[in-house]
Each structure stands twice: as C-alpha cells, then as structure tokens.
Amino acid sequence: MKNYPDITPAMRAILMMYNKGYTHHISFKTSQEKLPKLEEKWAIDFGTKLPAHTRFARKQRGHANAVAYSGPVLSEPGMVQVILMATEEALKMPPSSPWRREKWLSRYPEFSKFVMVEEQRERGDRAMTWRIQNRDLEELRKYLVGLVSAGDSPELKRQAEQIVRIYPMFGGVRRQLRRMLREMARLWNHHHKDSPWPGPDPESLPMSVGFKKLDGKKV
C-alpha cells in the first residue's frame, strides 16, 4: 500500500490507476495504527506490493491485479481513507480466492470528501476528474453564506483562503469552488457595497494539472 501524507497525490494516483483499468474498488476510513496489518493482508491476498512488470505479466495471463493507497481525511484528524483498486479480472477469479470474497464496487470511487466523475472541461472535451461531494459542498456553502450575512470580513477571508489552500484543485473541484466563490462575492457586494470582497479571486484559483511525480509532496 502506498501511504500518502497529503491528499492531493493520493487522489492523483487513484485517478491515474482508474484510467489504467483498475475500475473496481473497496474503500473505507480507518485509524492510522491499523494500516500496517491491513497493508500486510492486502499484500498477501492481492499482491499490492508487486512491481509493475509483474502486474503486467499477470495481466497478460488474464489474472487480476490490485493496487492500494491511503491518504488523510479532511477535517478528521487521525483518520485515513484506504482504497483497494482491482482490474475487472477480480470478478473472474476462482470462487475460493480472496478476490471473490470482497464486495467490489464498480461505481466511481469516493475518497475523503470527494468523488470521481467524468465531466466536460473548459476546452470542450470530457475527462475523469474529482469533485467535492454534494453534501459536503452544500455544508461548505451554507457556512460561507453565514459569514457573508454576518459581515465577518476577517473570518470570511481566512476561511475562504484556507479552502483554496487545502482542497485538492483538480479540474472538477476548481470549477465547483470558482462558482461558489463567485456566488459569495456577488452576495457580499450586494450586502456590503462599501467594502470590497475579502476572499480570493474566483478567476485565479490554483490548478492541479496532469499526472506529476507521485512523491507525496503537496501540489
């Protein structure tokens, strides 16, 4: 299992492997101290520590392959999200194998507060990306609306900048936050005409681009 201290490279790795055919998964939250035993079990049952060339040879023989990742859960200190991703051959392995004992999900993966989706990009084509899950996005929106209504400029600035700094800026997340910050800026200007919008510029949000080196560094 590859353990990431930062959520952005963890989500980038998941997205990359999904695009490589690891389209079935199981995922759950657990505590940090439980990772070693889980990592050992998955390595034995599913070969999650096998090198890439061995996985390639297994695929050529029609055998299942799996990879596993873990990363932090936003707003839940001490908790990590783990995900075991497998190729579709996992469903064809012998009934007695560990592969068949797992309840593999074929829907798009969820990780922390995010869900993988396919959506249209600004340039017009479609691609896999990550988005904030609807319930978490609405919770975030309501909180910011409250700060705007209260006219709490310092706290609104702090919270909005923290969101931009902490959230992984994949294309889908960036588009969501851009729309939400545009809405907050309009609302602020409507209620506080004599005070400029204190938050970040919705049109200048950072980007998380491509599949860069997966070294655990914050991007």
Side-chain angles (χ1 to χ4, degrees), residues 140-154:
L140 183 59
R141 180 188 173 277
K142 287 181 179 179
Y143 181 64
L144 293 181
V145 166
L147 293 177
V148 171
S149 299
D152 193 342
S153 177

Side-chain angles (χ1 to χ4, degrees), residues 161-196:
E161 289 180 348
Q162 179 174 286
I163 291 166
V164 171
R165 185 174 66 253
I166 292 177
Y167 277 55
M169 283 295 176
F170 292 89
V173 174
R174 191 173 63 255
R175 286 186 283 272
Q176 286 177 300
L177 292 182
R178 181 187 297 137
R179 287 192 293 268
M180 186 176 65
L181 290 174
R182 283 172 178 167
E183 179 190 359
M184 295 304 110
R186 288 194 299 268
L187 191 62
W188 178 271
N189 293 331
H190 176 75
H191 289 290
H192 313 286
K193 294 182 174 62
D194 297 329
S195 177

Side-chain angles (χ1 to χ4, degrees), residues 21-88:
Y22 289 74
T23 54
H24 294 72
H25 73 280
I26 59 172
S27 181
F28 52 88
K29 298 176 186 177
T30 187
S31 58
Q32 188 76 39
E33 57 267 22
K34 293 182 180 179
L35 283 183
K37 286 187 178 180
L38 184 62
E39 185 173 5
E40 181 181 1
K41 180 182 185 302
W42 283 356
I44 294 171
D45 289 349
F46 307 111
T48 51
K49 290 187 177 181
L50 293 175
H53 71 274
T54 302
R55 294 201 305 268
F56 177 78
R58 286 176 56 83
K59 184 176 181 180
Q60 295 298 103
R61 296 194 295 269
H63 294 170
N65 279 312
V67 293
Y69 303 108
S70 74
V73 180
L74 292 185
S75 305
E76 295 186 39
M79 298 297 291
V80 293
Q81 182 101 19
V82 295
I83 184 168
L84 177 67
M85 305 177 69
T87 56
E88 64 179 354

